Amino acid sequence: MQEQLLIQIINKAINYISEEDARLISATGSNAVRIAIGYTFFMKPVFKNNELTYVLDKDFIEERLDLLEEKVDMFANYGIYSIIDMHLGPGNSMSGG
């Protein structure tokens, strides 16, 4: 239950990007966007003993890649290049590393 809620929250981070955004960006004459994601975007959140941890899960990674590809394709339909920015990697200052 906690995992599903956390996944829904994480999904909002990429689902906030809409087709309307792509249309407006294109209308300004811009031809590139940066999609910033953290490394945990590809890692499945799991609670063990009430502690949050992240695990690698092939199916979850495929779902995430599909979601990212959907956004890249959406922008491409408007002539906009997407730059995927692995904004926070493992051991970054935000993760205490």
Side-chain angles (χ1 to χ4, degrees), residues 12-68:
K12 286 187 179 195
I14 194 153
N15 284 330
Y16 75 92
I17 303 170
S18 70
E19 183 123 9
E20 178 67 6
D21 295 324
R23 188 187 67 71
L24 291 171
I25 292 167
S26 176
T28 69
S30 298
N31 69 347
V33 295
R34 180 184 68 131
I35 302 174
I37 57 174
Y39 74 99
T40 56
F41 179 77
F42 294 106
M43 299 181 75
K44 186 175 184 175
V46 175
F47 284 89
K48 291 183 182 177
N49 301 324
N50 286 332
E51 296 256 343
L52 173 63
T53 186
Y54 293 91
V55 297
L56 293 173
D57 178 88
K58 184 180 182 297
D59 293 333
F60 187 78
I61 292 170
E62 288 294 326
E63 289 172 18
R64 308 310 275 170
L65 286 170
D66 289 344
L67 182 59
L68 190 57

Side-chain angles (χ1 to χ4, degrees), residues 75-87:
F75 282 118
N77 288 337
Y78 287 87
I80 301 170
Y81 295 96
S82 294
I83 301 164
I84 309 302
D85 176 13
M86 182 65 77
H87 196 64

